[in-house]
């Protein structure tokens, strides 16, 4: 229910990093771990990079700035081969 989107609540995989990425960047360790995890999930479930979204892109009705303006989502997408 967290995504507030039927499609993503039923078929999506959520990955959470702790922090306020409007105020600070994720740590190098957080980014490295997220890239490894997203790459592994994308391979296992055949998820293309263009289907890797930030929370704010899928939450119907808005209500979140997640993942935050300082979060390098394109770098995470780039980890998907």
């Amino acid at each position: 229910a967290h995504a507030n989107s039927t499609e993503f609540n039923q078929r999506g995989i959520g990955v959470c990093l702790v922090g306020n990425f409007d105020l600070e960047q994720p740590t190098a360790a957080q980014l490295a771990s997220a890239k490894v995890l997203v790459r592994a999930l994308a391979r296992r479930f055949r998820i293309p990079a263009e289907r890797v979204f930030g929370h704010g892109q899928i939450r119907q009705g808005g209500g979140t700035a997640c993942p935050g303006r300082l979060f390098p989502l394109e770098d995470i997408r780039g980890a998907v081969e």
Side-chain angles (χ1 to χ4, degrees):
H2 185 66
N4 198 29
S5 164
T6 302
E7 174 188 1
F8 288 96
N9 285 342
Q10 293 177 358
R11 298 180 183 266
I13 300 169
V15 175
C16 177
L17 276 68
V18 176
N20 182 339
F21 305 125
D22 270 336
L23 299 178
E24 59 187 340
Q25 295 179 340
T27 67
Q30 285 178 305
L31 286 176
S33 296
K35 288 177 183 179
V36 168
L37 177 59
V38 170
R39 182 181 303 121
L41 290 168
R43 284 181 182 164
R44 179 169 183 171
F45 296 107
R46 298 184 181 120
I47 302 167
E50 61 269 11
R51 295 292 294 169
V52 175
F53 301 109
H55 187 200
Q57 294 174 289
I58 60 167
R59 185 163 171 78
Q60 295 173 348
T64 184
C66 185
R69 62 183 178 81
L70 299 176
F71 187 83
L73 186 57
E74 287 303 316
D75 289 350
I76 301 298
R77 283 190 185 114
V80 175
E81 299 172 349

